Amino acid sequence: MKKGFIKELRQRNVFKVALGYLIGAWLVAQVADLVLQSFDAPDWTMRALLIALAVGFPIALVISWAFEVTADGVVPESQVDRTVKFSQESGRRLDFSILLILAIVIIFMGLERFVFSEPKLGTERINPIEKSGSENHLQQTNDQLDPTLTENAALTPVSNKTPNKSVAVLPFTVMSTGPDDEYFADGLTEEIINALSQLPDLMVTARTSAFHFKGQNLPVGEIAGQLGVDHIVEGSVRRAGNQLRITAQLIRADDGFHLWSETYDRRTEDTFAVQDDISQKVAKALDIVLDDAKRNNMRLVGVRNVEAFVAFQKGVDLYNRAHIEPNQISLLRQANQHYDRAIELYPEFRDAYLQHSDLYSHILLTQASGVLDGEITAEDIDTAPRHLRSDFDNSIRFAKEQGQVLAVELDRALILGEWRGLKSRSERSLQFGGCETSVWAHLAASAFGNAALARDAFKRTTICDPLLPRPDVHLVQSMLWLGQWGDAINNAERQLANSRHPWLIRSLAMAQAMQGDFESAENTLRQQTVSEEDLLFTLAILSAIEGDARAAANYSQEFLDKFGPNDELALRLEASRGNHNEANRLAAQIDARPFGYIPLMQVIYYCACGAPFDLEATPVLAEMLEESGLPWPPASPIKYPLKDW
């Protein structure tokens, strides 16, 4: 009976239908996966298709058992005459159909391997507008924002906002004394951070916050708490000639348990294989499922040139010093020498181009503000726009995700004066979501009706990089624009526990003053401000907010006598004191200089006092604003009693 049943299955072509269905279903699933990825379809779409294909399999078998395709159409099996030639040939037709499907499968596999596959490392780069795993990670970060937050609600601490799978990679400790060993270790750490950041299921703390703990012997749990992560990767590097020993370990923060550790004894040229292995084993220990596409993304994001990332780390060291030390232009020039070397060794080094551009932005901003700086030459001013455009264009060209593209496009438009449609460009960048924010985005947002949009964008960035001062400065400033004085105070105090950034101190004091607590505002300045320049300037602003004309005038004069000339800061002081004519004179003077629109926009942003000057006094800025779509006059969240316009 068993043999008879199998014979019947063969006679009714059930086996052939089963084989044909399985091959066809596999082909449909592969094509669908390719198409759905191209359209960024949600994950449930593919799952639904697979379920439908699975349900269809037994149905196909039942139909093949019960029915037959004949010259008269589809008829019940009981009515088929097996002696008729057509009936006998139906099996052969199925054979042909299966062979045809197999041929299509072979063609598809060839196309997938040689046409649709990811580019091999070192031969092609990622399309800058291609959606990567990192972009998915940015969306995950975006989703962490509490949708129930009201306009006046305080920020929930970062540590309460992280998903289960989150990690920070701390700077690897250097165990040798070679001149470049520390830079090598920092580069290795950054490469691992970049690789892990490509995984959509894992939140990875950005470099700046992770490197905040470099050289600090703090408990893992304390570091994880400040960074808002559940796991820490730490390790060490020892180099001796071409010999290399790297140790790495993954630690669960809440109990200090080592989930994974390994020691690698290799040669320097094997560095990239080691960092790949560390990244993949960390992901595996955190139960992150890796497929070929994810592994490829992790490899492609790396620099893959030891000398290049050592040169880049040397530049980063000088770049960071330039933003806290007085000889800024000189330090940025030195940083650019190392960035030039990194770019020479690795022409697709996107971050090197981006930081390389900073020198030229500061050159233009300094000269446009009327600051006398002997470091800046006439040639610097003439060539800065060309260098800026080149750096911005290359940063866009070699970007790895769309958020980076939008951010740099906005920076390029703002700095180089390409303002047509600037308002909509700014909104697109801020609304994109994720960790990436334009360096200059704040100038085209808060003062012109998009303070809430800016606040939400900088919230996302502070979740990704909780110890980076810049986004927190603008987060606090956007709260000032929204009149959220309490929120501004809470967030400034939280960040000041980690960074004594002068802008944060200034914003905290202004928020306290706006709540009417001038005593606390002055105490904040005198106890926390680290330079006399910042102290005098902010005391002048606070006096103007309080309505004390004499104190505001005295502090302003002392500041300009000691630290002037600076037309941008002088304009802010005159506007806050209500000196209408002098404010217009200074604004016209700035407007007449090349790139004067940047310091004028900074005055508008940091004054937060409506129109600090009449638009008629600045015809260049007026024309640019008209084509930008930005409204005039700006909002006026801070009321200065001495200012009556």
Short mmCIF file of all heavy atoms in Angstrom, two decimals, residues 432-489:
data_model
loop_
_atom_site.label_atom_id
_atom_site.label_comp_id
_atom_site.label_asym_id
_atom_site.label_seq_id
_atom_site.Cartn_x
_atom_site.Cartn_y
_atom_site.Cartn_z
N PHE A 432 15.66 65.22 10.16
CA PHE A 432 16.08 63.91 9.66
C PHE A 432 16.18 62.89 10.78
O PHE A 432 15.88 61.72 10.60
CB PHE A 432 17.43 64.04 8.94
CG PHE A 432 17.90 62.73 8.36
CD1 PHE A 432 17.34 62.25 7.19
CD2 PHE A 432 18.87 61.97 9.00
CE1 PHE A 432 17.75 61.05 6.65
CE2 PHE A 432 19.29 60.77 8.47
CZ PHE A 432 18.73 60.30 7.29
N GLY A 433 16.55 63.31 11.95
CA GLY A 433 16.67 62.37 13.07
C GLY A 433 18.07 61.83 13.18
O GLY A 433 18.88 61.93 12.27
N GLY A 434 18.36 61.23 14.31
CA GLY A 434 19.65 60.60 14.51
C GLY A 434 20.64 61.51 15.20
O GLY A 434 20.30 62.55 15.76
N CYS A 435 21.90 61.11 15.14
CA CYS A 435 22.95 61.75 15.93
C CYS A 435 23.60 62.93 15.25
O CYS A 435 24.21 63.76 15.90
CB CYS A 435 24.04 60.71 16.25
SG CYS A 435 23.45 59.33 17.25
N GLU A 436 23.55 62.99 13.94
CA GLU A 436 24.32 64.00 13.20
C GLU A 436 23.58 65.33 13.17
O GLU A 436 22.42 65.42 12.75
CB GLU A 436 24.55 63.52 11.77
CG GLU A 436 25.62 64.29 11.04
CD GLU A 436 27.02 63.84 11.42
OE1 GLU A 436 27.17 62.73 11.95
OE2 GLU A 436 27.97 64.61 11.17
N THR A 437 24.24 66.40 13.65
CA THR A 437 23.67 67.74 13.53
C THR A 437 24.71 68.66 12.89
O THR A 437 25.90 68.54 13.16
CB THR A 437 23.26 68.34 14.89
OG1 THR A 437 24.36 68.24 15.80
CG2 THR A 437 22.06 67.62 15.45
N SER A 438 24.22 69.56 12.08
CA SER A 438 25.09 70.54 11.44
C SER A 438 25.77 71.40 12.50
O SER A 438 25.17 71.75 13.53
CB SER A 438 24.24 71.42 10.51
OG SER A 438 24.83 72.67 10.30
N VAL A 439 27.03 71.75 12.25
CA VAL A 439 27.78 72.59 13.20
C VAL A 439 27.12 73.96 13.35
O VAL A 439 27.09 74.54 14.43
CB VAL A 439 29.24 72.75 12.72
CG1 VAL A 439 30.00 73.74 13.62
CG2 VAL A 439 29.94 71.40 12.71
N TRP A 440 26.52 74.47 12.27
CA TRP A 440 25.96 75.82 12.27
C TRP A 440 24.43 75.84 12.21
O TRP A 440 23.83 76.89 12.01
CB TRP A 440 26.51 76.61 11.07
CG TRP A 440 28.00 76.73 11.08
CD1 TRP A 440 28.90 75.88 10.50
CD2 TRP A 440 28.78 77.73 11.73
NE1 TRP A 440 30.19 76.30 10.72
CE2 TRP A 440 30.15 77.44 11.48
CE3 TRP A 440 28.47 78.86 12.49
CZ2 TRP A 440 31.19 78.23 11.98
CZ3 TRP A 440 29.51 79.65 12.97
CH2 TRP A 440 30.85 79.33 12.71
N ALA A 441 23.80 74.69 12.44
CA ALA A 441 22.34 74.59 12.28
C ALA A 441 21.58 75.57 13.16
O ALA A 441 20.52 76.07 12.78
CB ALA A 441 21.89 73.16 12.58
N HIS A 442 22.11 75.86 14.34
CA HIS A 442 21.40 76.71 15.30
C HIS A 442 21.12 78.11 14.75
O HIS A 442 20.13 78.73 15.12
CB HIS A 442 22.20 76.81 16.59
CG HIS A 442 23.62 77.26 16.39
ND1 HIS A 442 24.60 76.44 15.88
CD2 HIS A 442 24.22 78.46 16.62
CE1 HIS A 442 25.74 77.11 15.81
NE2 HIS A 442 25.54 78.34 16.24
N LEU A 443 22.01 78.59 13.87
CA LEU A 443 21.87 79.97 13.40
C LEU A 443 20.62 80.18 12.56
O LEU A 443 20.06 81.28 12.53
CB LEU A 443 23.10 80.38 12.58
CG LEU A 443 24.43 80.43 13.34
CD1 LEU A 443 25.53 80.97 12.43
CD2 LEU A 443 24.32 81.28 14.60
N ALA A 444 20.18 79.14 11.85
CA ALA A 444 19.02 79.28 10.96
C ALA A 444 17.76 78.69 11.56
O ALA A 444 16.76 78.53 10.86
CB ALA A 444 19.31 78.61 9.62
N ALA A 445 17.77 78.37 12.87
CA ALA A 445 16.63 77.67 13.46
C ALA A 445 15.98 78.46 14.59
O ALA A 445 14.89 79.02 14.43
CB ALA A 445 17.08 76.29 13.96
N SER A 446 16.63 78.55 15.73
CA SER A 446 15.98 79.04 16.95
C SER A 446 15.41 80.44 16.82
O SER A 446 14.29 80.71 17.27
CB SER A 446 16.96 78.98 18.12
OG SER A 446 17.30 77.65 18.43
N ALA A 447 16.15 81.34 16.21
CA ALA A 447 15.71 82.74 16.12
C ALA A 447 14.59 82.93 15.12
O ALA A 447 13.92 83.96 15.11
CB ALA A 447 16.88 83.64 15.77
N PHE A 448 14.36 81.92 14.27
CA PHE A 448 13.45 82.09 13.15
C PHE A 448 12.29 81.09 13.19
O PHE A 448 11.84 80.60 12.16
CB PHE A 448 14.22 81.97 11.84
CG PHE A 448 15.33 82.98 11.73
CD1 PHE A 448 16.65 82.62 12.01
CD2 PHE A 448 15.06 84.29 11.39
CE1 PHE A 448 17.66 83.55 11.92
CE2 PHE A 448 16.07 85.23 11.30
CZ PHE A 448 17.39 84.88 11.58
N GLY A 449 11.81 80.78 14.39
CA GLY A 449 10.59 80.00 14.55
C GLY A 449 10.76 78.51 14.70
O GLY A 449 9.77 77.79 14.82
N ASN A 450 12.01 78.01 14.70
CA ASN A 450 12.22 76.57 14.79
C ASN A 450 13.03 76.17 16.02
O ASN A 450 13.83 75.23 15.99
CB ASN A 450 12.93 76.05 13.53
CG ASN A 450 11.96 75.90 12.36
OD1 ASN A 450 10.80 75.56 12.55
ND2 ASN A 450 12.44 76.19 11.17
N ALA A 451 12.81 76.87 17.13
CA ALA A 451 13.55 76.55 18.36
C ALA A 451 13.21 75.16 18.87
O ALA A 451 14.09 74.44 19.35
CB ALA A 451 13.26 77.60 19.43
N ALA A 452 11.94 74.76 18.78
CA ALA A 452 11.56 73.43 19.25
C ALA A 452 12.20 72.34 18.39
O ALA A 452 12.62 71.30 18.89
CB ALA A 452 10.04 73.28 19.25
N LEU A 453 12.28 72.59 17.09
CA LEU A 453 12.92 71.64 16.18
C LEU A 453 14.40 71.50 16.51
O LEU A 453 14.95 70.39 16.54
CB LEU A 453 12.75 72.12 14.74
CG LEU A 453 12.91 71.11 13.61
CD1 LEU A 453 11.89 69.99 13.73
CD2 LEU A 453 12.76 71.81 12.26
N ALA A 454 15.05 72.63 16.78
CA ALA A 454 16.47 72.60 17.16
C ALA A 454 16.65 71.89 18.49
O ALA A 454 17.57 71.08 18.66
CB ALA A 454 17.01 74.02 17.25
N ARG A 455 15.78 72.17 19.45
CA ARG A 455 15.88 71.51 20.76
C ARG A 455 15.82 69.99 20.62
O ARG A 455 16.64 69.26 21.18
CB ARG A 455 14.74 71.98 21.67
CG ARG A 455 14.70 71.31 23.04
CD ARG A 455 13.33 71.43 23.66
NE ARG A 455 12.30 70.84 22.80
CZ ARG A 455 11.00 71.01 22.97
NH1 ARG A 455 10.56 71.77 23.96
NH2 ARG A 455 10.14 70.44 22.15
N ASP A 456 14.88 69.50 19.84
CA ASP A 456 14.73 68.05 19.68
C ASP A 456 15.93 67.43 18.97
O ASP A 456 16.36 66.32 19.30
CB ASP A 456 13.44 67.73 18.92
CG ASP A 456 12.20 68.10 19.72
OD1 ASP A 456 12.32 68.31 20.94
OD2 ASP A 456 11.11 68.21 19.12
N ALA A 457 16.47 68.15 17.98
CA ALA A 457 17.64 67.63 17.27
C ALA A 457 18.84 67.54 18.20
O ALA A 457 19.59 66.55 18.19
CB ALA A 457 17.96 68.53 16.07
N PHE A 458 19.05 68.57 19.02
CA PHE A 458 20.20 68.54 19.93
C PHE A 458 19.98 67.56 21.08
O PHE A 458 20.95 67.03 21.63
CB PHE A 458 20.50 69.95 20.45
CG PHE A 458 21.06 70.85 19.38
CD1 PHE A 458 20.40 72.00 18.99
CD2 PHE A 458 22.25 70.52 18.74
CE1 PHE A 458 20.91 72.81 17.99
CE2 PHE A 458 22.77 71.33 17.73
CZ PHE A 458 22.10 72.48 17.36
N LYS A 459 18.73 67.29 21.44
CA LYS A 459 18.47 66.22 22.42
C LYS A 459 18.99 64.89 21.89
O LYS A 459 19.63 64.12 22.61
CB LYS A 459 16.96 66.08 22.66
CG LYS A 459 16.37 67.05 23.66
CD LYS A 459 14.89 66.72 23.80
CE LYS A 459 14.16 67.78 24.60
NZ LYS A 459 12.70 67.50 24.65
N ARG A 460 18.68 64.62 20.62
CA ARG A 460 19.13 63.35 20.03
C ARG A 460 20.66 63.25 20.05
O ARG A 460 21.22 62.20 20.35
CB ARG A 460 18.62 63.23 18.59
CG ARG A 460 17.13 63.03 18.48
CD ARG A 460 16.74 62.66 17.06
NE ARG A 460 16.98 63.74 16.12
CZ ARG A 460 16.08 64.66 15.78
NH1 ARG A 460 14.88 64.64 16.33
NH2 ARG A 460 16.36 65.59 14.89
N THR A 461 21.32 64.35 19.72
CA THR A 461 22.78 64.32 19.68
C THR A 461 23.36 64.11 21.07
O THR A 461 24.36 63.40 21.23
CB THR A 461 23.32 65.63 19.09
OG1 THR A 461 22.68 65.87 17.83
CG2 THR A 461 24.81 65.57 18.88
N THR A 462 22.75 64.71 22.09
CA THR A 462 23.28 64.53 23.45
C THR A 462 23.05 63.11 23.96
O THR A 462 23.79 62.65 24.83
CB THR A 462 22.65 65.54 24.43
OG1 THR A 462 21.22 65.41 24.41
CG2 THR A 462 23.01 66.96 24.05
N ILE A 463 22.06 62.40 23.45
CA ILE A 463 21.88 61.00 23.83
C ILE A 463 23.01 60.17 23.24
O ILE A 463 23.58 59.30 23.90
CB ILE A 463 20.51 60.48 23.36
CG1 ILE A 463 19.40 61.13 24.18
CG2 ILE A 463 20.42 58.96 23.49
CD1 ILE A 463 18.00 60.82 23.69
N CYS A 464 23.35 60.44 21.98
CA CYS A 464 24.43 59.69 21.33
C CYS A 464 25.80 60.05 21.91
O CYS A 464 26.67 59.18 22.00
CB CYS A 464 24.45 60.00 19.83
SG CYS A 464 22.95 59.57 18.96
N ASP A 465 25.99 61.31 22.26
CA ASP A 465 27.30 61.80 22.70
C ASP A 465 27.09 62.67 23.93
O ASP A 465 27.21 63.90 23.87
CB ASP A 465 27.94 62.60 21.55
CG ASP A 465 29.45 62.58 21.60
OD1 ASP A 465 30.00 62.16 22.62
OD2 ASP A 465 30.08 62.97 20.60
N PRO A 466 26.78 62.05 25.09
CA PRO A 466 26.30 62.81 26.24
C PRO A 466 27.30 63.77 26.86
O PRO A 466 26.91 64.66 27.60
CB PRO A 466 25.91 61.71 27.25
CG PRO A 466 26.65 60.50 26.81
CD PRO A 466 26.76 60.60 25.33
N LEU A 467 28.59 63.62 26.58
CA LEU A 467 29.59 64.49 27.18
C LEU A 467 30.21 65.46 26.18
O LEU A 467 31.18 66.14 26.50
CB LEU A 467 30.70 63.65 27.83
CG LEU A 467 30.21 62.66 28.91
CD1 LEU A 467 31.39 61.92 29.52
CD2 LEU A 467 29.41 63.37 29.99
N LEU A 468 29.66 65.55 24.99
CA LEU A 468 30.13 66.51 23.99
C LEU A 468 29.50 67.87 24.28
O LEU A 468 28.27 68.00 24.29
CB LEU A 468 29.75 66.03 22.59
CG LEU A 468 30.15 66.94 21.42
CD1 LEU A 468 31.67 67.05 21.33
CD2 LEU A 468 29.56 66.41 20.11
N PRO A 469 30.31 68.92 24.52
CA PRO A 469 29.73 70.20 24.95
C PRO A 469 28.88 70.89 23.89
O PRO A 469 27.84 71.48 24.22
CB PRO A 469 30.97 71.05 25.29
CG PRO A 469 32.07 70.08 25.50
CD PRO A 469 31.78 68.92 24.59
N ARG A 470 29.30 70.88 22.61
CA ARG A 470 28.63 71.70 21.60
C ARG A 470 27.13 71.48 21.51
O ARG A 470 26.34 72.45 21.57
CB ARG A 470 29.28 71.49 20.22
CG ARG A 470 28.66 72.34 19.11
CD ARG A 470 29.24 72.02 17.76
NE ARG A 470 28.97 70.67 17.32
CZ ARG A 470 27.83 70.29 16.75
NH1 ARG A 470 26.86 71.16 16.55
NH2 ARG A 470 27.65 69.04 16.38
N PRO A 471 26.64 70.23 21.34
CA PRO A 471 25.18 70.08 21.24
C PRO A 471 24.46 70.45 22.53
O PRO A 471 23.33 70.96 22.49
CB PRO A 471 25.00 68.59 20.92
CG PRO A 471 26.27 67.93 21.30
CD PRO A 471 27.34 68.96 21.11
N ASP A 472 25.11 70.24 23.69
CA ASP A 472 24.46 70.61 24.94
C ASP A 472 24.36 72.12 25.08
O ASP A 472 23.38 72.66 25.62
CB ASP A 472 25.21 70.02 26.14
CG ASP A 472 24.30 69.17 27.01
OD1 ASP A 472 23.14 69.57 27.22
OD2 ASP A 472 24.72 68.10 27.48
N VAL A 473 25.38 72.84 24.60
CA VAL A 473 25.31 74.31 24.60
C VAL A 473 24.09 74.77 23.81
O VAL A 473 23.31 75.62 24.28
CB VAL A 473 26.60 74.90 23.98
CG1 VAL A 473 26.40 76.38 23.65
CG2 VAL A 473 27.78 74.72 24.93
N HIS A 474 23.89 74.20 22.63
CA HIS A 474 22.78 74.64 21.78
C HIS A 474 21.44 74.08 22.27
O HIS A 474 20.39 74.69 22.01
CB HIS A 474 23.05 74.26 20.33
CG HIS A 474 24.25 74.96 19.77
ND1 HIS A 474 24.40 76.33 19.84
CD2 HIS A 474 25.37 74.50 19.15
CE1 HIS A 474 25.54 76.68 19.29
NE2 HIS A 474 26.15 75.59 18.87
N LEU A 475 21.46 72.94 22.94
CA LEU A 475 20.23 72.45 23.58
C LEU A 475 19.77 73.44 24.64
O LEU A 475 18.60 73.83 24.68
CB LEU A 475 20.48 71.07 24.20
CG LEU A 475 19.35 70.50 25.06
CD1 LEU A 475 18.06 70.35 24.26
CD2 LEU A 475 19.76 69.16 25.67
N VAL A 476 20.69 73.87 25.50
CA VAL A 476 20.35 74.85 26.53
C VAL A 476 19.92 76.17 25.90
O VAL A 476 18.94 76.79 26.33
CB VAL A 476 21.56 75.06 27.48
CG1 VAL A 476 21.30 76.22 28.44
CG2 VAL A 476 21.83 73.78 28.27
N GLN A 477 20.63 76.59 24.87
CA GLN A 477 20.29 77.86 24.21
C GLN A 477 18.91 77.79 23.56
O GLN A 477 18.14 78.76 23.60
CB GLN A 477 21.36 78.20 23.16
CG GLN A 477 21.33 79.64 22.69
CD GLN A 477 21.81 80.63 23.73
OE1 GLN A 477 22.49 80.25 24.68
NE2 GLN A 477 21.45 81.89 23.56
N SER A 478 18.56 76.64 22.97
CA SER A 478 17.23 76.51 22.36
C SER A 478 16.15 76.57 23.43
O SER A 478 15.04 77.07 23.18
CB SER A 478 17.13 75.20 21.57
OG SER A 478 17.22 74.07 22.42
N MET A 479 16.45 76.08 24.63
CA MET A 479 15.48 76.18 25.73
C MET A 479 15.31 77.62 26.18
O MET A 479 14.21 78.03 26.57
CB MET A 479 15.94 75.29 26.90
CG MET A 479 15.83 73.80 26.58
SD MET A 479 16.57 72.76 27.86
CE MET A 479 16.02 71.14 27.29
N LEU A 480 16.40 78.40 26.11
CA LEU A 480 16.26 79.83 26.39
C LEU A 480 15.34 80.49 25.36
O LEU A 480 14.49 81.33 25.70
CB LEU A 480 17.63 80.51 26.37
CG LEU A 480 18.61 80.17 27.49
CD1 LEU A 480 19.92 80.93 27.29
CD2 LEU A 480 18.02 80.52 28.85
N TRP A 481 15.49 80.10 24.10
CA TRP A 481 14.63 80.65 23.05
C TRP A 481 13.17 80.28 23.27
O TRP A 481 12.26 81.03 22.89
CB TRP A 481 15.10 80.15 21.68
CG TRP A 481 16.19 81.00 21.11
CD1 TRP A 481 17.52 80.77 21.18
CD2 TRP A 481 16.03 82.24 20.42
NE1 TRP A 481 18.22 81.79 20.57
CE2 TRP A 481 17.32 82.70 20.09
CE3 TRP A 481 14.94 83.00 20.05
CZ2 TRP A 481 17.54 83.89 19.40
CZ3 TRP A 481 15.15 84.19 19.35
CH2 TRP A 481 16.44 84.62 19.04
N LEU A 482 12.92 79.12 23.87
CA LEU A 482 11.55 78.68 24.13
C LEU A 482 11.02 79.18 25.47
O LEU A 482 9.88 78.88 25.83
CB LEU A 482 11.49 77.15 24.09
CG LEU A 482 11.73 76.52 22.71
CD1 LEU A 482 11.98 75.02 22.85
CD2 LEU A 482 10.54 76.77 21.79
N GLY A 483 11.84 79.93 26.20
CA GLY A 483 11.42 80.42 27.51
C GLY A 483 11.37 79.34 28.58
O GLY A 483 10.72 79.51 29.61
N GLN A 484 12.08 78.23 28.36
CA GLN A 484 12.09 77.12 29.32
C GLN A 484 13.28 77.30 30.26
O GLN A 484 14.27 76.58 30.20
CB GLN A 484 12.17 75.79 28.56
CG GLN A 484 10.97 75.57 27.65
CD GLN A 484 11.12 74.33 26.76
OE1 GLN A 484 12.16 73.68 26.75
NE2 GLN A 484 10.08 74.03 26.01
N TRP A 485 13.17 78.28 31.15
CA TRP A 485 14.31 78.65 31.99
C TRP A 485 14.72 77.50 32.91
O TRP A 485 15.92 77.23 33.06
CB TRP A 485 13.97 79.89 32.83
CG TRP A 485 13.22 80.96 32.10
CD1 TRP A 485 12.01 81.49 32.43
CD2 TRP A 485 13.64 81.66 30.91
NE1 TRP A 485 11.64 82.46 31.54
CE2 TRP A 485 12.62 82.59 30.59
CE3 TRP A 485 14.75 81.59 30.10
CZ2 TRP A 485 12.70 83.43 29.49
CZ3 TRP A 485 14.82 82.42 29.00
CH2 TRP A 485 13.81 83.33 28.70
N GLY A 486 13.76 76.83 33.52
CA GLY A 486 14.07 75.73 34.44
C GLY A 486 14.77 74.58 33.72
O GLY A 486 15.74 74.01 34.24
N ASP A 487 14.28 74.23 32.55
CA ASP A 487 14.91 73.16 31.77
C ASP A 487 16.33 73.55 31.38
O ASP A 487 17.25 72.72 31.41
CB ASP A 487 14.10 72.88 30.50
CG ASP A 487 12.73 72.29 30.80
OD1 ASP A 487 12.50 71.94 31.98
OD2 ASP A 487 11.92 72.18 29.87
N ALA A 488 16.51 74.81 31.00
CA ALA A 488 17.84 75.28 30.62
C ALA A 488 18.80 75.17 31.81
O ALA A 488 19.95 74.72 31.66
CB ALA A 488 17.78 76.72 30.13
N ILE A 489 18.34 75.55 33.00
CA ILE A 489 19.19 75.47 34.20
C ILE A 489 19.55 74.02 34.50
O ILE A 489 20.72 73.69 34.75
CB ILE A 489 18.46 76.12 35.40
CG1 ILE A 489 18.38 77.64 35.20
CG2 ILE A 489 19.18 75.79 36.71
CD1 ILE A 489 17.49 78.35 36.21
#
